[in-house]
Structures are given as structure tokens and as C-alpha cells.
Amino acid sequence: MPDRGGGPSGPRIRVGRPSRRVRTLLMTLGVLAVLLMAFTMFAGFWADWLWYRSVDYSSVFTTTLWTKIGLFFVFGLLMAVAVGLNIWLAHRLRPPLSAMSAEQQNLDRYRMSVAPYKKWLLLGITALVGLIAGASASSQWRTWLMWVNGVSFGQKDPQFKLDVSFYAFDLPWYRFLLGFGFAAVVLSLIAAALTHYLYGGLRVTSPGARATAAATGHLSVLIGVFVALKAVAYWLDRYGLAVKSSDFKATDNWTGLRYVDANAYLPAKTILFCIAVICALLFFGTLWRRTWQLPVIGFGLMVLSAILIGGLYPAIVQKFQVQPNEQAKEAPYVEKNLKATRDAYGIDGAKVTEYPGTSQTEDKSRLRDKVPATASVRILDPNIVSPTFQQLQQIRNYYAFPTNLDVDRYSKNGKVQDTVIGLRELNLSGIPKNNWINDHFRYTHGYGVVAAEGTTADSEGRPKFTESDLPSRGSLGSYEQRVYYGEKTTSYSIVGGPQKEIDYSDDNGEKTYSYKGDSGVDLSNPVNRAAYAAAFSEPQILYSGAIGEGSRILYNRTPKERVEAIAPWLTIDGDAYPAVVGKRIQWIVDAYTTTNGYPYSSRTTLGDTTADSLTATNDNRAVVAQQNQVNYIRNSVKATVDAYTGEVKLYEWDTKDPVLKTWMKAFPGTVKARSDISAALMDHFRYPQDLFKVQRELLTRYHVRNPQTFLSGSEVWQVPDDPTNQSGNAVPPYYLSMKMPDQKSQVFSLTTTFTPNGRDNLSAFMSVDAEAGTKGYGSIRILKLPTSTTAAGPKQVQSQFNSEQAIAETIRLLRGGDSEVEYGNLLAVPLDGGLLYVEPVYVRGGGLKYPLLRKVLVTYGGNTAFEDTLEEALDKVFGAKGAPEKPPGDEETTPPPTSDNPTVQEALDDAQKAFETGQEALKKGDWEAYGKAQKDLEDALKRAEDAQSRAAKGGGAAAGDGKGERPRPSGSPSPKPSGSPQNS
């Protein structure tokens, strides 16, 4: 019989070997391939190190790198040792001889083939499993850092009375260790069983015993370890119930214990834990009693118990105890879920106030003058007017604006106003000729800020720019205008070297520039050049004469990309926005800390809850989530990125957040104190949109505090779809300065509306104070309308606009020819118990390729207006001109009828002519003539208003002196003197 460890005897067949020259060539090619692979890996590593060092966050790189390396080697070595040791042990415990059988004769051939390579095979298998296990473990670097640096929440879960940090930081790490243990035992068991089978320790068809005593003991111990780990899993599952998701009719993302969990699953897990411990001891006992009988019986009992106690019993409890009286049984657990969810998402302070939904004032004309004090209604939609900015302020084709502009607050003439702002960024697709030098050396940056008043437009429907032209000039003063880092800057640039850059062009030709900042990585070093040539697959970087002393490579240039790179533990808001702070342009990026382990808090999927009609058409607005499903979120960090230097600063915003404190322990020195935020920068911080969208989604259910109401689902809301487009996605929240009913003055706010689930009427209005640095920042207010009130929701308001015959006819005329009508943001403003809706309407037509504001839709209390300006639409809806309110009892002099006042009548005649001229121009698509006619119409109406006002004061109109009159439309007759005296 052949020895189990030996190889075959007899003559060997010699196979022809390649010649020495061929062997040398193959060896050389192999060495070169290995060196090339090694250098490519080194290049990527070296480039990353250089980049982190260039932004002064090298500690993030080193901490992350060493953590990954440590986890890789520790767990890779553990897995390799576990599997290798069991293979070696199984080989060592092999029987010396095997029985004569067909099975063993077939296995002899494999044993003989393996014999010469046993050591190498053992090393290869252990190395392979070690590499796989190490790579898997290194991906758990966040879990490890959170566990080792975890900070107490100071709050305990209501079931087990453990600190929340146990579920957020400890339990994920314990589960990883448990999963690793299961994997190690299963792989060891498979490897040991195969080895025992190969060397005769296990037999399938051979006569006699199926397993040797040694194999029985070895495999029994491994199975016992597996069962012991299962016992640990049962014990951890008890705590896992507090963060377990389940289907529950109250909510789709229910988290935490319910009645059946606390009264069936929890005791079942405890019982199964005890059974698993006993079963594991029985398997370990086979070392002394070489029989499988008792362990197999114990294992069968454990499986049966898992089915009966862990599956059937909870189902019986649910069916016969919970379902007949569900609300009473589940109410205590729903109350825990309500409290935990509201705490975890920062909505526990949301103030819900009853709101009538209809105006309480009979004389609506008295509300006209309350509108300006209630809201600075923004009629310039930042999501519509980017093409207008592009057409009017692009200046050069190699500049572009983002698809969606931003809303910020700036002071003009001492008054803070809502402002639409965008940067003139680099657009490589618009440069005269694309080549490597132009794309990466000559055209490297954008130039300047363009800003416009948010609440007004000029007579042509164009934005009223407060900062414009190239170089930009206006109300923002002097600042560094070059934009090397921006939302559209996705390509690398090499600056500061021999090759000059295109700065900007004016009437005197192109201006050149050489970057003077210290951003980027120095390419003077040939090693750096070689590394980036390999990392970017650009061999020209290695030998190009355009690179020399002082050359620096800039990359990772979008604000969100830079913040994500230096803080890989943060979730990044989808909307980075620019602000002029001091003498610099700063990108402001909101960032969040999250966890998925807050007990009893229901989960949400960030990618879904932050999606709306804007993210559907613009991928750049999507949230950058490190963990897509979460049940705790805080806007803990405000980050800034300098548009010129690319410098990134992280500021601690939420000073109480334990998740942020944990990451600050893991990465010390990376986050600056909140006290370091300057007053000028604080003025531009705002409440982030993605957090608001997450909170509003939760508040569709969690605005109620009564468990019975929550369970009934009678007050479930929904976020309405955006009625201004056909995307079918949720309406985005809108920034505007407004005053809620309990506020004394306007506050920069972020607002949204709710409708009842499955219906289109309005159910609630929500706002949050968005102005950072103020006392009320982050205060959530919800105006809840009575269920009996059928106040119109956004979709109904849009339908009302579209269904009114006069409006529909005007829209049809606006769409004449090749014109397109675009609806702007539908803003809602609470006013005197009702809701005022305002929507700007833009037209692209004639030879124009960009939208201009042509009309404004306004509705309130069932009255609708569709006029050229917001003021005119408000006048029509409320039936009154905007003027200071008079105290009750004041007597007013009634002006004479307009037919008796020649000046008024002539002005109205001129207005009629201007209107008719405008309509004719509209039909022809002549926008220049239409704009002129609208200006003449405005002038005529103003003259009529002035003349009637003077008549009201003095009993007649002073038409002959022309004082106070606006310029008349060209071609209209001069007014006839009335002979009436002029009253001062």
C-alpha cells in the first residue's frame, strides 16, 4: 500500500524545456511586468499622499491608511492561520493506511499528484484566504475607528437601558467580529473535511467506519466552535431587536421592538442562546466520547427549537394576542419609536400650530399692503434663469454657469435682500480649439461672480444684476475673482509654470496670468511627474516642455469632491453654493454625520428622501452619502472651499453631536472650533436643503405625537409632486425671506408644503429658520390646516392657473410661433389665515434662446391674477393698490370719475393703445416691440394713477404743468390744459 504522504515511484517522463534564451526573455518580460504593476500601484499611492499633503490633511491619509493596513494584516493573518492550521492538523491526523476500495484507489492518484507540492499548496491556500479576508476586513476601517473612539450619547434605550453608543459604535463591530468568526470556522471546516477525505480520515463509500476517531474529534470541535458562535449571535440578536427594521403598517421603515419582539422574540433568543451553549458543549465532549450521537441530537434540538420557539411561537403571539387588539398592544412601543425618531432626526422641537387655511378678513383689499411685510417674494427662479445668466453674462464661450443657481443674502444700500448668485466657471467645451495644452494649461479657471436681485426683474423680464460684467463689478466690492475650483471644474490643470494662462478678454484683447497660489502638487520633481503621468495615464506630463519650475497640478477641484476626500466619514449635501466673504469667493458645503444604529428610530434612505424634481434633472445636486440608509442625522459640519486656492476648512457646527466627537477623536485636528467662524462667513451659512428634505419626509408621519393617531394613519401627509414640470418628482424646498404668523419680522427661511396622503388639497405648510447665527436658527414651524378645509394644494393651484380661460388664452398666445413657456417656482406664503401663491412665468421665444420673465401668476382666497409684474398681480388679486393702510374712521375724498378728468382719460387711452400694440407684437413674436409696448403701458398707467391721486387731493387734475408725470409713450398726443389749479 502506498504511503499517504509519499509520491509515486517509477520512471519519470522528461518534457522538452525551452532554450536558455527563451527562458531569459520570458523571465525578463515577467520582471518588467511585475515592476510596471508595482510602479503603477506606487504612483497611485504617491499621488494620493502628495495631494493630501498639499491640502494639509495628511493625517487623514495616514490614519486611514494605517487603519486599513492594520486590519488587513491582523484579520488576514488570523484567517490564514485558522485555515492553514486546520489543514495541517487534518493532514497530521491522517490514518497511516487506507482500506482497499475503489474510492481509495481513485483518491490515491490525487494524493500522489499533491504530494510533491503539499507545502506550496498549503501556503497558496492560506495566502489566498488571508488576502480575501484581509481585504474584506480593511473595508471596515470606519467600523473600527467608531468602536475604538466611541463617545457616549448620554441617552439610554428604553428596553435594555444601554447607552445609544453601544448600538451606534459597539454593536456593528461585534457583528463584524462574529461574521469573521463564522467565516473562519466555515472555511476551516470545509478545508479540514476535504483534507480528511483526501487522506482517508473520512469515507463515503469505503467499508467500515465513515470517519476515524481523530477526524471525528477534529470536526466536532470545529462544529462546536460554530455552534458557540451561534450562541453569541443569539445573545447579540437580543440587542439587535432595538435596531431591527420590520414591516409595520404604521410606517414602511419601522425600527425597534414591537409587542411581539418584546414578548416572544426576546425570550426566544434567550432560550435559544442557552440551547446553543449546551449543544456546543456536547460537540466539545466528543474529544472524550468519540461518538456523534449526543451532539447530533443536541444540534437537531437546536434547529427544532429555532423553528418552534424562534418562528412559530412569535407568529402565534402576533396572530392571537396582537392582531385582535393591535392599537392597545402596540401603543407603548409606538410611543418609544415616536420619541426616538424625533430625537434622532432633530425634529423633536417642531412646533405644530393650527392654521385656518382661509382668510379671516372680509375686506381683502386691506391685505394688499401686508404682503411686502409678510414676504420678500422671489420671482427670479434660480433653477430657471441660468440660461439667462449664460446669455447675458457668459461674455466668452469658455465660461459657463451651473444648471441651477443659488439663493443667498447680500446687502444693498444697507438693506439685506435675497439674491440669486452664480459663478462664471470654466467651460472646456467652449474653448476655441481642444488640445492638451489648451485644455490643461491655457484655459484653467473661470472669472467672477454674477448676482441679481431675487425679488425684481427689469421691464424686459431680465434679471436686475447687482454684480455683472467681466471683470465683475457691482455691489460686492473688491475680491479675488479667479475661480480655479468650482462645480463645473472637473478636469485637472497644470499652472504656475512656463506656460501662461488665459485670464480673461476685454476690448483690448486677451489678458494672461500665471497662478500665484500654493495649491496643488509641485511637478518640478521628476518622480512626481512620473507618478502623475502614470496615475492620469498622461505620458506627456513626464516630458512636456510646458511643465517646468513652479508648475503645479490642480485636481479634485469640485467643492463636494474636495470635502468628501478630506473627510471620508461625512455625508455631503447635494448643493454647494458660493459666497463672497471678505476678499475671497468661498464655496460653502454642508456636511452630515449619520449612523444606522440609533435604537427605535425609523430608517430612511437618503438617496430617496433627498430626491426631488431638481435632482432628477441634475445629478450634481444629489447627496453624497457614505451610508445610504440611516436613522440618525446631524448637520454637524460646515465646510468651506476657497475658489482660488482650493483651501478646505471644516468647522464644528453641532457642538453636541456624539458622532462628530467620535470622528474628531479619530482624526484630531481636522475640524476647527465653531468659534473660529468669522461673522462675515456666518452671514452666508444657511439651513441645508438635504437635511430639510429628510426631515420633511419624516414629518409626513411623525408630526403626530399620539400613538393611536399614528397607528390609525388618519393624519399621514405626503410631499406633493412639483406641479411646474412633468418629472413626477417631489417639489423642492424653496428659500425666501418671509414671516410666519408668530414672527414679528421676516426671516430667511426654507419652506415646503404638504398634502394629505392620496389627495391634492393642502394639509400643512412647513418652514425652518434658515439664517445661521440667529437665535431661531433651525426652528421648525408647521401650520396644520383643518381636515375639513379644502385649501388648494400646489397641484390644484397650478390646475386653477391653467384652467382659467383668460390665462389659458394668454399662455396660448405666449406659446405662439416657436416660443416656449416655463413655469418658475410656485411659492407659498401664509397670509392672514390663508395661503398666497406666487409663480413667475418665463418665455423663450423669437430669436431668444433664454427665458425672460413675462408674467406673474398670483392666487389668494380663490382670486387669481396673471399680470406683467408682481405688483400688478397683487393689486388685481386684492382689488387695491399697494399703499399704507389708513386708520378706521378717516374720511377720504372721492376722486371725480375718470370720464370727467381729461388727463386720466388720456392716460388710459394711451394705456389701451400700448396694450393693443403689445398684443400685436406678441402674436408676431417681436419681443423687442412687445417690451417697448409694456414699458409704454406701465408709463401710461402710472400717469393715470398720479393724475387721479392729485384729483383726489385737490378736486381736479393739474394737467398743464406736467409735474410728477412719467414720460409719455412716443407718438401719443400731448395732454390738454384743464385749467385746474395745482395743489402742492
Side-chain angles (χ1 to χ4, degrees):
M1 300 296 294
D3 181 73
R4 298 284 70 84
S9 59
R12 296 184 179 181
I13 300 176
R14 295 182 61 85
V15 179
R17 299 176 62 189
S19 66
R20 178 177 297 179
R21 180 178 299 177
V22 173
R23 293 200 306 270
T24 303
L25 178 61
L26 291 174
M27 185 176 297
T28 302
L29 291 176
V31 170
L32 289 176
V34 171
L35 290 176
L36 181 61
M37 292 177 59
F39 180 76
T40 302
M41 295 174 61
F42 167 78
F45 164 80
W46 187 245
D48 287 344
W49 161 248
L50 291 174
W51 186 85
Y52 276 97
R53 192 174 65 175
S54 74
V55 294
D56 295 328
Y57 282 92
S58 55
S59 62
V60 174
F61 179 82
T62 54
T63 299
T64 305
L65 177 65
W66 287 116
T67 302
K68 290 179 178 179
I69 291 175
L71 292 172
F72 177 86
F73 279 105
V74 168
F75 287 95
L77 186 62
L78 284 175
M79 182 65 76
V81 168
V83 175
L85 180 63
N86 280 282
I87 292 176
W88 175 83
L89 188 60
H91 178 267
R92 186 70 180 267
L93 296 175
R94 69 191 185 281
L97 298 175
S98 61
M100 290 296 298
S101 66
E103 178 186 22
Q104 293 302 313
Q105 289 176 354
N106 289 330
L107 288 174
D108 273 340
R109 289 180 296 172
Y110 293 104
R111 288 192 285 263
M112 293 175 183
S113 300
V114 167
Y117 311 106
K118 285 189 295 186
K119 292 182 179 180
W120 292 107
L121 191 60
L122 178 62
L123 290 174
I125 292 174
T126 55
L128 179 63
V129 296
L131 287 172
I132 295 174
S136 176
S138 67
S139 66
Q140 298 293 321
W141 64 271
R142 291 184 179 87
T143 308
W144 161 261
L145 288 176
M146 292 183 79
W147 177 67
V148 77
N149 295 288
V151 172
S152 172
F153 274 69
Q155 294 175 281
K156 295 184 177 182
D157 78 283
Q159 180 67 39
F160 302 101
K161 309 305 180 183
L162 296 174
D163 192 89
V164 173
S165 61
F166 171 80
Y167 301 93
F169 306 141
D170 299 345
L171 190 58
W173 178 249
Y174 297 153
R175 281 177 164 167
F176 163 72
L177 292 179
L178 188 63
F180 178 83
F182 275 123
V185 171
V186 169
L187 289 176
S188 298
L189 186 61
I190 293 172
L194 289 175
T195 305
H196 280 299
Y197 177 69
L198 180 64
Y199 288 97
L202 292 179
R203 301 162 190 148
V204 177
T205 61
S206 299
R210 298 298 181 195
T212 64
T216 300
H218 184 194
L219 297 181
S220 294
V221 169
L222 289 176
I223 296 174
V225 174
F226 179 88
V227 176
L229 290 175
K230 188 62 180 174
V232 176
Y234 281 133
W235 189 256
L236 288 181
D237 283 348
R238 299 169 67 256
Y239 303 110
L241 292 173
V243 290
K244 183 194 73 170
S245 291
S246 60
D247 295 329
F248 191 28
K249 70 177 184 178
T251 175
D252 296 332
N253 297 297
W254 173 273
T255 301
L257 284 82
R258 291 156 50 194
Y259 180 89
V260 69
D261 297 312
N263 294 277
Y265 280 111
L266 187 57
K269 297 292 183 183
T270 305
I271 294 172
L272 290 172
F273 164 76
C274 297
I275 294 174
V277 170
I278 295 172
C279 185
L281 294 175
L282 291 176
F283 275 106
F284 293 144
T286 57
L287 288 173
W288 296 274
R289 298 181 73 257
R290 301 296 178 122
T291 175
W292 292 82
Q293 185 175 4
L294 285 178
V296 169
I297 293 174
F299 189 79
L301 177 62
M302 187 180 74
V303 173
L304 182 62
S305 300
I307 296 173
L308 296 178
I309 302 175
L312 184 60
Y313 174 63
I316 294 173
V317 171
Q318 179 69 24
K319 179 71 174 178
F320 295 102
Q321 291 190 34
V322 178
Q323 289 185 5
N325 192 17
E326 186 173 43
Q327 290 204 347
K329 295 289 187 182
E330 300 287 15
Y333 303 95
V334 171
E335 189 171 2
K336 296 174 184 177
N337 176 270
L338 286 171
K339 183 181 184 307
T341 303
R342 294 173 67 89
D343 288 341
Y345 290 96
I347 56 177
D348 51 311
K351 180 181 178 183
V352 181
T353 306
E354 299 295 331
Y355 192 70
T358 56
S359 175
Q360 307 301 304
T361 302
E362 294 184 5
D363 184 6
K364 298 297 188 293
S365 64
R366 300 184 64 83
L367 299 178
R368 171 62 182 87
D369 294 316
K370 292 184 177 180
V371 175
T374 302
S376 299
V377 180
R378 179 172 43 74
I379 58 174
L380 199 65
D381 187 347
N383 306 307
I384 295 288
V385 298
S386 179
T388 307
F389 274 50
Q390 185 86 353
Q391 183 69 26
L392 301 178
Q393 289 296 320
Q394 179 187 22
I395 312 296
R396 295 289 181 266
N397 288 337
Y398 48 81
Y399 294 132
F401 292 92
T403 305
N404 304 103
L405 303 179
D406 291 289
V407 179
D408 204 346
R409 296 142 294 146
Y410 286 90
S411 178
K412 182 181 179 183
N413 299 326
K415 180 182 178 182
V416 177
Q417 62 182 9
D418 293 355
T419 302
V420 175
I421 184 173
L423 298 191
R424 195 183 285 110
E425 297 188 39
L426 180 65
N427 175 30
L428 286 178
S429 62
I431 66 177
K433 184 179 180 180
N434 287 102
N435 55 53
W436 190 63
I437 294 295
N438 278 349
D439 291 352
H440 300 291
F441 290 82
R442 285 176 56 78
Y443 295 91
T444 60
H445 60 276
Y447 208 100
V449 171
V450 176
E453 296 178 13
T455 56
T456 59
D458 68 12
S459 59
E460 301 295 324
R462 297 172 300 198
K464 284 189 176 180
F465 292 109
T466 58
E467 185 82 6
S468 58
D469 299 333
L470 183 67
S472 296
R473 57 183 63 88
S475 61
L476 299 183
S478 173
Y479 57 94
E480 173 56 65
Q481 297 197 19
R482 296 173 182 89
V483 181
Y484 281 88
Y485 295 87
E487 291 180 302
K488 301 181 74 68
T489 317
T490 56
S491 178
Y492 72 88
S493 289
I494 299 176
V495 299
Q499 179 65 57
K500 292 292 184 181
E501 310 163 40
I502 299 296
D503 202 23
Y504 65 91
S505 300
D506 59 15
D507 295 338
N508 298 320
E510 288 184 344
K511 309 290 185 182
T512 59
Y513 180 75
S514 185
Y515 183 67
K516 296 178 175 58
D518 59 356
S519 181
V521 178
D522 183 17
L523 291 181
S524 301
N525 187 327
V527 176
N528 293 357
R529 292 177 67 169
Y532 279 100
F536 287 0
S537 301
E538 287 281 8
Q540 296 179 85
I541 294 177
L542 187 60
Y543 56 78
S544 174
I547 302 175
E549 189 66 29
S551 292
R552 309 182 72 84
I553 184 169
L554 313 180
Y555 63 105
N556 287 351
R557 297 169 71 185
T558 66
K560 293 196 295 184
E561 189 177 31
R562 291 180 79 78
V563 174
E564 181 190 12
I566 68 166
W569 34 273
L570 290 174
T571 291
I572 313 301
D573 189 90
D575 184 27
Y577 60 98
V580 177
V581 182
K583 301 294 183 181
R584 317 289 293 189
I585 300 173
Q586 298 283 353
W587 287 98
I588 299 175
V589 183
D590 284 287
Y592 311 107
T593 49
T594 62
T595 181
N596 194 31
Y598 197 100
Y600 272 101
S601 174
S602 290
R603 289 182 169 86
T604 188
T605 304
L606 293 179
D608 295 337
T609 54
T610 58
D612 57 27
S613 61
L614 297 183
T615 60
T617 57
N618 186 359
D619 291 339
N620 291 333
R621 294 294 292 263
V623 65
V624 182
Q626 301 296 340
Q627 189 176 23
N628 196 29
Q629 194 170 64
V630 303
N631 66 353
Y632 172 94
I633 186 169
R634 289 290 186 273
N635 177 211
S636 298
V637 172
K638 299 280 190 181
T640 61
V641 179
D642 191 292
Y644 182 77
T645 66
E647 181 184 16
V648 182
K649 293 181 179 179
L650 306 178
Y651 295 99
E652 181 183 15
W653 186 246
D654 189 334
T655 57
K656 298 179 180 179
D657 177 31
V659 181
L660 177 61
K661 291 182 183 297
T662 295
W663 287 119
M664 289 174 67
K665 280 183 63 180
F667 296 96
T670 57
V671 181
K672 296 180 179 296
R674 179 167 177 157
S675 57
D676 291 340
I677 301 173
S678 67
L681 180 59
M682 182 72 76
D683 288 341
H684 295 280
F685 283 167
R686 67 187 190 188
Y687 202 82
Q689 293 189 55
D690 284 337
L691 175 61
F692 183 80
K693 286 187 279 188
V694 169
Q695 289 174 328
R696 74 172 178 177
E697 181 65 31
L698 268 295
L699 283 167
T700 57
R701 293 180 180 273
Y702 287 89
H703 62 277
V704 301
R705 295 178 179 271
N706 185 286
Q708 305 292 342
T709 306
F710 184 84
L711 281 168
S712 70
S714 60
E715 292 195 15
V716 174
W717 299 336
Q718 65 183 12
V719 179
D721 292 340
D722 190 346
T724 65
N725 59 56
Q726 303 300 318
S727 68
N729 294 92
V731 62
Y734 296 122
Y735 288 106
L736 77 157
S737 294
M738 57 163 290
K739 181 176 69 173
M740 290 288 277
D742 63 334
Q743 293 177 309
K744 296 181 179 179
S745 60
Q746 291 185 21
V747 174
F748 189 65
S749 304
L750 191 55
T751 66
T752 192
T753 53
F754 294 109
T755 57
N757 193 27
R759 292 187 291 160
D760 295 323
N761 58 290
L762 194 69
S763 59
F765 176 86
M766 173 182 170
S767 78
V768 62
D769 290 3
E771 188 170 349
T774 61
K775 184 178 179 180
Y777 173 80
S779 298
I780 298 175
R781 293 176 174 85
I782 299 175
L783 302 180
K784 179 184 174 185
L785 279 66
T787 54
S788 59
T789 300
T790 56
K795 184 176 180 180
Q796 292 175 326
V797 169
Q798 191 69 46
S799 299
Q800 182 180 343
F801 285 155
N802 297 336
S803 62
E804 292 216 6
Q805 185 174 356
I807 296 177
E809 178 64 20
T810 305
I811 293 291
R812 187 185 67 80
L813 292 174
L814 291 173
R815 284 181 172 148
D818 60 350
S819 300
E820 297 178 6
V821 173
E822 295 184 35
Y823 293 101
N825 39 220
L826 180 58
L827 302 176
V829 177
L831 177 66
D832 192 55
L835 268 295
L836 173 70
Y837 286 97
V838 179
E839 182 178 70
V841 177
Y842 296 83
V843 176
R844 298 180 193 233
L848 302 179
K849 301 301 181 184
Y850 57 94
L852 295 176
L853 179 65
R854 292 303 185 194
K855 294 285 184 179
V856 179
L857 285 161
V858 175
T859 185
Y860 184 82
N863 296 329
T864 302
F866 187 49
E867 302 298 325
D868 294 336
T869 67
L870 175 62
E871 297 302 317
E872 292 173 5
L874 292 172
D875 290 344
K876 183 173 180 181
V877 163
F878 293 103
K881 297 284 186 181
E885 290 186 285
K886 295 181 181 294
D890 280 8
E891 295 183 0
E892 298 183 356
T893 304
T894 304
T898 58
S899 60
D900 296 333
N901 189 327
T903 304
V904 175
Q905 187 60 51
E906 284 186 25
L908 293 178
D909 290 341
D910 291 342
Q912 180 63 30
K913 290 178 182 178
F915 176 76
E916 293 171 356
T917 302
Q919 293 302 307
E920 288 298 323
L922 190 62
K923 293 178 182 178
K924 297 176 182 178
D926 188 346
W927 294 106
E928 184 176 356
Y930 177 77
K932 184 177 181 301
Q934 295 302 304
K935 182 69 166 59
D936 291 344
L937 175 61
E938 181 183 354
D939 291 341
L941 292 174
K942 178 63 177 174
R943 286 190 291 108
E945 180 184 354
D946 291 344
Q948 188 166 353
S949 177
R950 289 195 300 273
K953 294 179 180 178
D961 59 3
K963 292 181 179 179
E965 294 186 6
R966 299 282 295 273
R968 299 178 58 75
S970 59
S972 60
S974 301
K976 298 178 181 179
S978 64
S980 301
Q982 172 73 29
N983 293 332
S984 58

